[in-house]
Amino acid sequence: MITPSANILCFGAAHFDRTLQCTGHYVPAASNPVRTLHRKPGGVGRNIAVHLRLLGNNVAMLSAVGNDGDGEHIIAALSEIGIDTRRMMKLEGKHTAGYTAVLDETGELALGMMDAEVYDFLTIERLAPELSSLKAWPWWMMDANLPVETISWLADNKGDTKFCAATVSPSKAVRFKPVLDKIDVLITNRAEASILTGIDIKETNQAITAIQLLRGKGIPEVVITLGATGIVSSSQNGTAFWPPLATKVRDVNGAGDAFYSGFLSAFSKPDATMDGAVAHGLAMASLTAETDGTTVWNLTKEAVDERAAQAEKRPIG
């Protein structure tokens, strides 16, 4: 593991992802025989926290799980790699969240089901007694699975802590709308940025317009990811387009979360720059897309730095 550096507290989802595939023709509203392709820990907050830790940062995770086997497994897996799990809440009478994807016989998504009810219990009342210890962490990474009231309360009470937002999905991105002026770093994709700005983002110039609007709301550092097209970044030092790195794609799942981890790991260092953070985010996304699954368990500083050196910045304006 890389030498520890920044101190980052991650708020958000930590659950199990399950993928099933029909063994015959998928029939809606009927019993379909399936096989299990995988069952593994997931969740945006958890995914980002794991790569942050593998990149050598001191990381804590704040989330809620049920008092069940899944919850115990998730906490144990985080703890095993050195993530501080003392703020993981095991809630009696609740069950751990989970996402289940059912693929049809061709591999296309037939049905996706997300049970995230347990995250609704990450209330202000539960977090308020811990506020002073939460503010001791200089960086917060928060995904949009927290209740909107809790997000707003944390944003209002962050003090000198840097607040970094991960929008998760179009349906949940709206939870950050009331606190755009309190966010220090926003990383979002085109669909989620459209929800926050009202701009339909299909091309790079539309992403540039959206990013200018978001910075006008008071967010100092903004990144909009455009999938295979690349990304647009903007800070006080200017706006730029970055094409994706050359990648031998095996599995793109988790690449977006990995970009966030690479970016924040670099950006949270003393004397960090937006350019360096973007380059390391692109490197992590590329390395993850070349890996089966959502996590690059054999990360090395040399591999990340070498891939980051290939990043190409194209200034805009």
Side-chain angles (χ1 to χ4, degrees):
M1 186 173 290
I2 303 165
T3 303
S5 181
N7 298 301
I8 304 167
L9 172 57
C10 296
F11 298 77
H15 54 248
F16 268 94
D17 290 330
R18 298 169 176 83
T19 301
L20 314 174
Q21 184 170 19
C22 295
T23 56
H25 178 66
Y26 171 69
V27 181
S31 176
N32 289 269
V34 300
R35 65 174 178 270
T36 299
L37 297 184
H38 67 72
R39 176 182 180 276
K40 57 190 178 184
V44 171
R46 175 263 172 202
N47 291 345
I48 293 173
V50 167
H51 267 147
L52 282 170
R53 179 61 187 146
L54 294 176
L55 285 165
N57 301 283
N58 295 317
V59 181
M61 182 83 208
L62 188 155
S63 187
V65 297
N67 188 19
D68 51 29
D70 279 358
E72 291 177 1
H73 185 160
I74 287 165
I75 293 172
L78 293 172
S79 183
E80 283 173 6
I81 64 170
I83 292 176
D84 182 346
T85 59
R86 288 174 294 176
R87 295 163 189 82
M88 293 291 292
M89 301 180 186
K90 290 180 66 174
L91 303 183
E92 195 69 37
K94 307 301 176 185
H95 55 271
T96 299
Y99 174 74
T100 300
V102 179
L103 310 182
D104 66 17
E105 67 278 11
T106 71
E108 293 296 317
L109 182 67
L111 180 65
M113 299 175 290
M114 180 67 198
D115 176 1
E117 182 184 25
V118 72
Y119 302 134
D120 293 339
F121 294 94
L122 290 169
T123 59
I124 297 170
E125 290 74 20
R126 280 194 165 90
L127 271 58
E130 306 295 328
L131 182 60
S132 60
S133 69
L134 301 181
K135 290 168 66 174
W137 291 81
W139 293 86
W140 287 350
M141 192 296 301
M142 193 180 309
D143 81 23
N145 282 290
L146 274 68
V148 64
E149 297 84 2
T150 302
I151 291 173
S152 295
W153 177 79
L154 286 166
D156 287 338
N157 291 280
K158 70 186 184 72
D160 294 330
T161 296
K162 297 292 186 181
F163 172 23
C164 310
T167 43
V168 176
S169 69
S171 64
K172 293 180 179 176
V174 69
R175 298 181 183 185
F176 285 125
K177 262 194 168 183
V179 298
L180 291 178
D181 61 327
K182 298 179 178 68
I183 294 172
D184 296 287
V185 177
L186 173 67
I187 299 176
T188 184
N189 67 25
R190 70 175 85 204
E192 295 150 7
S194 293
I195 295 297
L196 294 175
T197 64
I199 298 171
D200 187 19
I201 303 172
K202 291 187 171 66
E203 299 177 354
T204 302
N205 63 337
Q206 294 164 327
I208 294 168
T209 302
I211 220 167
Q212 290 170 341
L213 190 154
L214 289 166
R215 291 203 64 234
K217 297 285 187 181
I219 309 174
E221 323 285 343
V222 184
V223 173
I224 297 180
T225 61
L226 304 173
T229 302
I231 74 161
V232 178
S233 67
S234 187
S235 69
Q236 63 179 0
N237 294 321
T239 301
F241 172 78
W242 303 73
L245 300 179
T247 302
K248 297 177 182 178
V249 176
R250 296 184 64 170
D251 182 356
V252 298
N253 287 326
D257 296 343
F259 175 90
Y260 205 121
S261 300
F263 180 99
L264 184 53
S265 180
F267 198 68
S268 57
K269 305 292 191 294
D271 302 319
T273 65
M274 170 66 92
D275 291 356
V278 170
H280 281 78
L282 288 169
M284 280 300 302
S286 176
L287 290 167
T288 303
E290 291 183 348
T291 303
D292 290 323
T294 59
T295 305
V296 186
W297 291 106
N298 60 345
L299 271 180
T300 65
K301 182 178 186 300
E302 291 72 23
V304 178
D305 289 346
E306 181 180 347
R307 192 65 60 96
Q310 301 172 22
E312 176 192 354
K313 177 185 178 182
R314 299 176 186 174
I316 296 169

